[in-house]
Amino acid sequence: MPAVPLVEELQRRPFVRPLFWWITGIVLQVCFPLERLSAGLLLPVAAALVLSLFARRQGRLSCDARWVWGALVTCLLVFLSIQMTALTEIRLSTPSEPGWLKHKAQEVQFRMVEKLEPLQLSDDEKAVLATITVNYRQAMTRELRKRFSLIGMSHLLSISGFHVAIVGSFLTFLFSFLPRRKVFRWLKYVVLMAAIWSYAYISGLSAPAVRASLMFTVFLTGIVLQRRPDRYNTLAGAAFCMLWYNPFYLFDIGFQLSYLGTWSIMYLQPRLARLIEVRNPLLAHPWNVLTVSLAAQIGTFPLCSYYFGQTSTVCLLTNVYLSFLSIGLIPLALLWMLLPAGLPGSGVLQWMIETLAKSLMWIVDRFSAVPGAAVSIDFDFVTLTGTCGILVFGLCYLRARGSRMLLAMLGLLLFVLAWQLMK
């Protein structure tokens, strides 16, 4: 890519560079503890500040001066990242009791799960329902988790962007009747923000839930301010905020899979959807769900093979069915938990929840029993790195059609195959 477009891309997505250097500082501190030596990064920053006090240059800074200041900001970012990582290491090594807010959140979570007792469901169905709604995992058994893993739907058991998007879309639909005046637009914004973050908090503030809530916050803020934020910049900004709060989120499996899956969906899904033009509205939505699932599977395949040692062969089919069921089941179950018992119409609501929950578990049981539903693929770190490189060079080749990218992709593929044969 030419230099000028690259500069324009970085200016349009200002969070990308700080995120890269912040991650660099985290990795440096984890691999080579540098909290004391990192003070040397402040020397050029201090020197530049002192020189700027005596500078007599007038007008705007030149392009070269902007790059110099960019390098100084980079030094400052890496220094702060190293120091924040070191402080977080000390904080995490000191045992502490759960805070008052976290304790109250657990109490609220438990009371909401108790509302599921009157439902005519099996223990497994209630356990799954409690997990996909408020992230209550105590009732989940290892065998039940294995069934979801076999069909490639383990992400459904962790509150993530999919769950937050369902809740946010449902609330947006409920408020769609409000007039489009400014006061009502801000009222809807405040209520949605309070509801989304309350949901993320009750679900345990998992990394995927926080990431989705941050992105949803930026998205709604852009709407209420009548702006269109760049989605890649929003994703980078959400990651930067999370890693600023806790640098060790970087090594959390949920964090890695969540961000990689989200980026894959944003980049690959539109390109996959354009492969087949579907004009029928009854088929367009299932096709979009299928391409979303395929994009997420492609992006997370290396990490899933590295961490879990297997991949599902039926995930594309199950994802379509279970996604449709979850879109109805999650908001209805949350309504059941929040509304008082004996409310008129609660019988119909109970029947709908029971039907959807039983249908969901029926699909899980049937597909997990299919022979060859999952195949073992054991990646080591070398294979993981090589496979990620193959995907990156492959995407670059599809975008630019450069022969160098194709050669690099084929070379890495041969290296990975040779490595696997030598193991």
Side-chain angles (χ1 to χ4, degrees):
M1 182 180 293
V4 174
L6 177 60
V7 172
E8 293 177 354
E9 288 288 320
L10 292 176
Q11 290 176 345
R12 191 157 57 95
R13 293 158 184 163
F15 273 110
V16 174
R17 283 178 293 177
L19 175 63
F20 174 79
W21 293 116
W22 194 264
I23 291 176
T24 300
I26 295 172
V27 175
L28 287 175
Q29 173 59 24
V30 171
C31 297
F32 315 99
L34 300 172
E35 62 270 21
R36 294 183 179 179
L37 296 177
S38 63
L41 294 170
L42 294 179
L43 295 178
V45 178
L49 291 176
V50 172
L51 291 175
S52 65
L53 293 176
F54 297 97
R56 299 180 182 277
R57 184 180 302 175
Q58 300 295 327
R60 298 181 61 183
L61 292 173
S62 65
C63 181
D64 293 337
R66 286 200 299 268
W67 283 110
V68 170
W69 284 107
L72 296 177
V73 171
T74 297
C75 292
L76 184 60
L77 273 174
V78 175
F79 168 78
L80 292 175
S81 177
I82 291 174
Q83 295 300 317
M84 183 65 73
T85 305
L87 290 174
T88 306
E89 284 180 321
I90 298 174
R91 178 168 56 86
L92 294 179
S93 62
T94 304
S96 59
E97 295 292 330
W100 177 82
L101 288 176
K102 190 172 183 63
H103 180 69
K104 287 297 181 182
Q106 292 174 349
E107 290 183 355
V108 174
Q109 187 185 63
F110 184 73
R111 286 199 298 268
M112 294 181 71
V113 172
E114 284 183 330
K115 293 288 191 70
L116 300 178
E117 288 301 323
L119 298 176
Q120 301 299 315
L121 298 173
S122 65
D123 292 340
D124 284 351
E125 290 164 348
K126 289 180 180 178
V128 171
L129 191 57
T131 302
I132 67 175
T133 50
V134 294
N135 208 33
Y136 184 82
R137 297 168 170 269
Q138 280 76 352
M140 288 290 296
T141 62
R142 180 178 298 180
E143 193 275 335
L144 189 55
R145 291 192 186 96
K146 183 179 179 181
R147 276 185 273 171
F148 276 85
S149 178
L150 286 173
I151 63 173
M153 293 300 294
S154 296
H155 62 275
L156 190 62
L157 301 177
S158 175
I159 301 299
S160 61
F162 175 70
H163 302 73
V164 174
I166 290 176
V167 174
S169 300
F170 181 72
L171 292 173
T172 303
F173 172 75
L174 292 180
F175 288 109
S176 60
F177 66 92
L178 293 175
R180 296 187 177 182
R181 298 177 182 176
K182 185 176 181 179
V183 61
F184 290 105
R185 189 167 70 242
W186 279 99
L187 175 62
K188 182 169 68 172
Y189 170 78
V190 172
V191 173
L192 283 174
M193 286 299 95
I196 287 298
W197 282 104
S198 297
Y199 179 64
Y201 180 72
I202 294 173
S203 65
L205 290 177
S206 63
V210 173
R211 186 266 310 162
S213 299
L214 283 172
M215 292 191 66
F216 199 78
T217 299
V218 175
F219 174 74
L220 285 183
T221 303
I223 290 179
V224 76
L225 296 176
Q226 298 182 341
R227 299 288 190 274
R228 291 186 178 182
D230 182 85
R231 53 184 180 175
Y232 295 106
N233 189 55
T234 302
L235 183 65
F240 182 81
C241 292
M242 291 186 66
L243 293 177
W244 175 83
Y245 172 74
N246 185 355
F248 287 91
Y249 274 143
L250 181 64
F251 306 101
D252 182 78
I253 299 176
F255 178 90
Q256 296 173 10
L257 292 175
S258 174
Y259 276 91
L260 188 57
T262 303
W263 181 87
S264 302
I265 291 172
M266 290 192 303
Y267 185 82
L268 291 177
Q269 192 274 334
R271 292 163 172 79
L272 293 174
R274 289 195 294 266
L275 294 177
I276 300 177
E277 185 177 359
V278 180
R279 298 181 179 179
N280 190 328
L282 296 178
L283 299 177
H285 191 63
W287 171 243
N288 287 332
V289 173
L290 184 63
T291 53
V292 166
S293 175
L294 182 59
Q297 292 295 327
I298 293 174
T300 59
F301 168 73
L303 277 182
C304 288
S305 301
Y306 177 71
Y307 284 121
F308 308 119
Q310 68 176 23
T311 187
S312 175
T313 59
V314 297
C315 59
L316 293 180
L317 293 175
T318 56
N319 205 304
V320 173
Y321 296 129
L322 296 185
S323 295
F324 277 112
L325 291 175
S326 300
I327 289 172
L329 180 59
I330 291 174
L332 292 178
L334 288 172
L335 276 179
W336 176 266
M337 294 175 177
L338 295 173
L339 295 177
L343 199 69
S346 59
V348 177
L349 181 60
Q350 178 177 350
W351 175 81
M352 295 173 66
I353 294 172
E354 292 172 354
T355 302
L356 291 173
K358 290 180 183 294
S359 300
L360 186 145
M361 284 306 301
W362 183 87
I363 293 175
V364 172
D365 292 337
R366 293 299 179 273
F367 277 94
S368 61
V370 172
V375 293
S376 298
I377 302 179
D378 190 12
F379 276 15
D380 55 14
F381 185 75
V382 174
T383 307
L384 170 66
T385 306
T387 305
C388 291
I390 291 171
L391 289 177
V392 170
F393 286 125
L395 292 176
C396 292
Y397 170 72
L398 292 176
R399 181 178 181 180
R401 298 294 178 179
S403 58
R404 293 182 180 179
M405 294 298 172
L406 180 61
L407 290 175
M409 182 187 70
L410 294 177
L412 268 180
L413 179 60
L414 290 175
F415 172 77
V416 171
L417 293 176
W419 178 263
Q420 289 295 314
L421 292 174
M422 292 187 298
K423 286 177 60 176

